[in-house]
């Protein structure tokens, strides 16, 4: 699912080179573990199958919790373990689900070629399992790669392919609706985009899918802001913040605070905007997100100047300089 809150109102987060190497290393080690597990000739009783599926579900849940907090290495490790468990008992639909999750982690890491490899496999296993939901999810994820590669029309084509496959799974349908809406908005088809965002948020609200719901509301905030509807935009941003807090989705919380800070500034409510950016700085710093931290510091320094807070402005610029100095260390 395209997450517009990943790095502020616009733009993409950058991933340090060290992390990219670490992810590749984890992936290689996990693949070796899968290969070793496949050599086992132990009999597979129904009890073993159920236990393996349960373990896979537990690993997937842990992986999702780490992904929500932006801890991609841990998320990848747990989803690789889920994949191993699913493969050990030929849980084909589970394999597709694990590969979809792994593909999403590589997307979040900016490793789009590796993500596409995993997602092509997810699409194939979804076909083998006759799982329309997993096929739809794989197509949506592949569409996101197209979108991130600057191919809006190609992304829209994949989302349209996914839509009928997602018809019987509301959670997946909401993801496809959201992703299609992001592209429709970029193509200038705002009314259609708003309709899809509203449909997605209705589904996610009913299912209590807080992270996805927050992404819907954040996107609606951005859409309203682009149309000059600042009061409406602020309402949506506040709702997104509430949902992300329920999910303890750190990057979402920080981005929601940034969004509301931007909107408040445009409304002329600069003191409130300053407070929001300060809170965003705290969350980005705790999450060790360099780009988010930098954006918050830049906004705080500029707002401090406008508010006549000379001491605070100097402090934020000093911190920004320290961040820049240690950027490649």
């Amino acid at each position: 699912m395209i997450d517009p809150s990943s790095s502020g109102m616009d733009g993409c987060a950058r991933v340090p080179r060290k992390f990219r190497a670490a992810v590749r290393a984890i992936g290689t080690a996990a693949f070796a573990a899968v290969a070793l597990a496949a050599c086992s000739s132990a009999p597979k009783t129904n009890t073993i199958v159920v236990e393996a599926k349960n373990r896979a579900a537990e690993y997937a849940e842990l992986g999702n919790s780490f992904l929500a907090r932006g801890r991609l290495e841990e998320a990848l490790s747990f989803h690789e373990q889920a994949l191993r468990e699913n493969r050990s008992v030929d849980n084909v639909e589970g394999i597709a689900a694990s590969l979809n999750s792994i593909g999403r982690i590589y997307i979040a890491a900016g490793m789009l070629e590796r993500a596409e490899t995993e997602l092509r496999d997810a699409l194939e296993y979804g076909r083998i399992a006759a799982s329309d939901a997993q096929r739809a999810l794989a197509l949506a994820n592949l569409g996101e790669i197209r979108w991130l590669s600057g191919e809006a029309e190609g992304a829209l084509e994949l989302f349209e392919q996914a839509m009928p496959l997602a018809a019987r799974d509301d959670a997946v349908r909401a993801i496809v609706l959201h992703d299609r809406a992001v592209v429709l908005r970029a193509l200038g088809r705002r009314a259609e985009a708003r309709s899809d965002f509203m449909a997605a948020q209705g589904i996610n609200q009913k299912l209590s899918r807080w992270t996805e719901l927050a992404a819907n509301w954040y996107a609606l905030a951005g859409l309203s802001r682009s149309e000059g509807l600042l009061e409406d935009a602020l309402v949506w941003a506040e709702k997104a913040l509430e949902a992300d807090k329920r999910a303890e989705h750190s990057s979402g919380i920080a981005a929601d605070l940034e969004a509301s800070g931007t909107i408040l500034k445009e409304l002329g409510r600069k003191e409130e905007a300053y407070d929001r950016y300060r809170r965003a700085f705290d969350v980005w710093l705790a999450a060790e997100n360099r780009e988010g931290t930098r954006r918050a510091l830049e906004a705080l320094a500029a707002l401090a100047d406008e508010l006549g807070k000379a001491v605070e402005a100097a402090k934020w610029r000093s911190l920004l300089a320290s961040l820049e100095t240690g950027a490649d260390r």
Side-chain angles (χ1 to χ4, degrees):
M1 176 171 165
I2 298 174
D3 182 3
S5 70
S6 61
S7 59
M9 294 294 279
D10 297 292
C12 298
R14 298 174 184 172
V15 180
R17 290 188 295 274
K18 284 186 178 179
F19 171 72
R20 293 172 187 260
V23 170
R24 290 192 184 94
I26 292 173
T28 302
F31 180 82
V34 170
L36 288 171
C39 296
S40 172
S41 59
K44 298 178 176 62
T45 66
N46 286 338
T47 300
I48 291 174
V49 170
V50 171
E51 288 177 351
K53 287 183 177 180
N54 287 341
R55 283 194 299 272
E58 291 170 0
Y59 287 140
E61 185 175 352
L62 286 166
N64 289 337
S65 69
F66 279 114
L67 181 58
R69 286 176 278 169
R71 295 170 59 177
L72 302 188
E73 294 176 60
E74 293 96 328
L76 180 61
S77 178
F78 280 112
H79 279 297
E80 289 281 11
Q81 291 180 72
L83 177 62
R84 182 179 69 236
E85 294 291 347
N86 283 319
R87 279 179 165 159
S88 73
V89 293
D90 191 36
N91 179 17
V92 184
E93 186 168 10
I95 293 170
S98 293
L99 289 168
N100 264 316
S101 295
I102 291 167
R104 286 226 45 80
I105 295 166
Y106 282 116
I107 289 175
M111 300 169 65
L112 300 187
E113 289 186 10
R114 178 63 183 271
E116 183 165 358
T117 298
E118 303 292 342
L119 294 169
R120 293 282 177 199
D121 284 347
L123 185 62
E124 182 67 5
Y125 276 100
R127 181 193 63 78
I128 295 169
S131 171
D132 285 349
Q134 290 303 323
R135 290 169 63 202
L137 198 55
L139 286 167
N141 289 330
L142 288 165
E144 182 171 349
I145 292 175
R146 290 274 184 91
W147 165 250
L148 293 172
S149 301
E151 302 173 36
E153 293 289 355
L156 185 59
E157 181 181 344
L158 288 173
F159 298 146
E160 295 291 5
Q161 290 179 32
M163 192 61 72
L165 293 171
R168 291 185 292 178
D169 189 307
D170 282 346
V172 175
R173 182 167 171 265
I175 289 171
V176 179
L177 281 165
H178 176 95
D179 288 351
R180 185 171 71 177
V182 171
V183 178
L184 288 171
R185 175 193 167 186
L187 293 173
R189 296 161 63 177
R190 294 176 178 276
E192 294 169 84
R194 186 175 290 275
S195 177
D196 276 359
F197 281 137
M198 292 300 294
Q201 67 93 31
I203 293 170
N204 286 323
Q205 195 163 19
K206 181 180 177 181
L207 298 177
S208 298
R209 290 170 61 84
W210 301 111
T211 301
E212 291 81 3
L213 183 57
N216 303 150
W217 285 340
Y218 183 96
L220 283 163
L223 182 58
S224 294
R225 176 174 173 253
S226 69
E227 295 174 343
L229 304 171
L230 295 182
E231 294 289 354
D232 286 348
L234 184 59
V235 170
W236 289 121
E238 293 292 330
K239 288 169 72 71
L241 178 59
E242 178 185 349
D244 271 325
K245 281 191 172 184
R246 293 192 69 160
E248 296 187 351
H249 182 207
S250 295
S251 62
I253 291 168
D256 298 334
L257 288 165
E258 274 193 80
S260 60
T262 299
I263 297 164
L264 285 164
K265 181 179 179 180
E266 291 174 353
L267 285 167
R269 295 158 61 177
K270 294 182 181 180
E271 285 283 1
E272 294 172 79
Y274 183 82
D275 289 344
R276 295 303 173 87
Y277 272 110
R278 182 161 191 159
R279 289 161 60 188
F281 166 73
D282 288 341
V283 181
W284 285 131
L285 185 64
E288 299 181 0
N289 185 304
R290 185 177 297 151
E291 293 303 312
T293 302
R294 179 183 289 112
R295 283 196 311 274
L297 285 170
E298 289 172 345
L300 283 165
L303 275 167
D305 282 338
E306 293 179 32
L307 292 167
K309 300 176 183 287
V311 175
E312 286 87 344
K315 177 182 71 174
W316 300 127
R317 288 197 171 87
S318 175
L319 288 172
L320 184 59
S322 296
L323 182 69
E324 298 289 354
T325 300
D328 293 320
R329 292 181 180 177

